[in-house]
Amino acid sequence: PRRMVVVKAAEAINPDIRKTEEKVVDSVIVTELAKPLTAYCRCWRSGTFPLCDGSHVKHNKATGDNVGPLLLKKQ
Ligand code: FES
């Protein structure tokens, strides 16, 4: 039997939030963090989810999206 493979084009996950920005990044200042900076993934493509591994860069280039991580910074 012949198999049909359907390849779906990549789609942006951010429909309308702050689309004028090149990359949407938010920071939260937290005083009791062990590390000075921790980035949490919001693109759902990280190989180290929930931590960001930079995979959003490839996703943004492929889709025209502008997603980026949530940064937790030790004060
Ligand atoms: Fe998902 Fe960076 S890898 S926001």
Side-chain angles (χ1 to χ4, degrees):
R2 200 167 159 198
R3 266 184 47 190
M4 179 183 244
V5 178
V6 178
V7 179
K8 188 176 178 187
E11 297 176 4
I13 60 171
N14 178 8
D16 55 14
I17 297 171
R18 293 155 52 185
K19 291 302 262 189
T20 58
E21 299 177 24
E22 182 179 330
K23 175 171 40 179
V24 178
V25 178
D26 296 304
S27 298
V28 177
I29 304 299
V30 181
T31 55
E32 298 299 323
L33 288 175
K35 295 196 284 183
L37 176 66
T38 304
Y40 283 88
C41 176
R42 295 190 301 174
C43 76
W44 300 93
R45 283 157 179 82
S46 174
T48 59
F49 196 88
L51 300 178
C52 170
D53 69 355
S55 295
H56 60 268
V57 174
K58 183 179 175 186
H59 166 76
N60 286 345
K61 280 185 182 171
T63 64
D65 211 345
N66 66 345
V67 295
L70 169 67
L71 302 178
L72 298 187
K73 298 177 178 177
K74 186 174 184 178
Q75 194 169 32

